[in-house]
Structures are given as structure tokens and as C-alpha cells.
Amino acid sequence: GEDRPSVCGLRAELDRLDESSTLLNRGLREAVQRKVARGEMSYSQIALRCGRFKRDGRGNVSGETSWLARRIGLKPEGGETEPTPWIHTKTLALIVREGLGGSPHEIELG
């Protein structure tokens, strides 16, 4: 019937997703949360290792935890009401390699 999607339409959508440079961030979020829960590192340390930092009024440097929280789907982006479940592959690789000190292949995606 007309209410069902066409095979061609579904195939085109699958191809688009397959070629996309965005991935689900759940595996990364879980990896970050495990490290933090075990006391191996803090959100601030992970953000600092990714080169994301902020300075307070006294000039003290700390990791930009809000940046990390937005990337891993814990906080919404500016102007949004819900966190996104997606992350760009390059950002995921940065957080895994630099922030967590691992290999992106170690993170189960999905």
C-alpha cells in the first residue's frame, strides 16, 4: 500500500547512514562513565586531555566538562532541549585517543 516505505527509499536511507560521519555516542558515554565511576579520571581531566579547558576568574585552568557532556549525550547542545545521541567520528576518536587514552576500535558503538 501507499503507507509502506518503498524498497528504493529504504535503500537510499541506508546508504546515506552508511556514508555518514556521525555515530551513536552511547558506547563512548558508557566508556567515559565507567572511567569516572572507577575513579580512574574525572570529566574535567578527560576534557583537558582533549584540549578543552576554561579559566576561572583567578586564572585557574580546568577541563570544560560541559563540552564533554554535550559530546557524549549527557547535556543538550545550546538552544536544544534534549541531548543528541550522535557524535562525529573525528570527535569520538579525539575523546577516545586523547581523553581516555585508548583506541576508537575499543569502544563498542551503538
Side-chain angles (χ1 to χ4, degrees):
E2 291 181 27
D3 294 340
R4 294 185 351 201
S6 73
V7 172
C8 290
L10 288 174
R11 182 66 199 174
E13 186 65 15
L14 181 60
D15 288 344
R16 186 185 68 76
L17 288 171
D18 207 26
E19 295 171 8
S20 176
S21 59
T22 57
L23 303 166
L24 288 170
N25 61 20
R26 186 181 73 201
L28 176 61
R29 178 176 55 253
E30 291 170 353
V32 167
Q33 289 174 317
R34 273 193 307 273
K35 292 267 190 189
V36 171
R38 291 180 188 152
E40 295 176 27
M41 53 184 47
S42 69
Y43 290 108
S44 181
Q45 288 171 317
I46 295 168
L48 274 172
R49 291 174 65 160
C50 292
R52 301 301 302 222
F53 61 91
K54 59 185 178 182
R55 293 183 192 276
D56 66 15
R58 295 182 177 159
N60 298 316
V61 174
S62 62
E64 192 180 345
T65 57
S66 59
W67 171 83
L68 181 61
R70 289 189 305 270
R71 302 289 91 65
I72 65 175
L74 292 177
K75 285 185 156 185
E77 293 288 338
E80 299 295 326
T81 57
E82 296 293 322
T84 181
W86 302 102
I87 187 169
H88 193 279
T89 54
K90 289 181 181 180
T91 306
L92 180 139
L94 169 71
I95 294 170
V96 174
R97 281 192 190 109
E98 302 300 325
L100 301 177
S103 167
H105 299 291
E106 296 170 1
I107 301 297
E108 182 182 330
L109 304 175

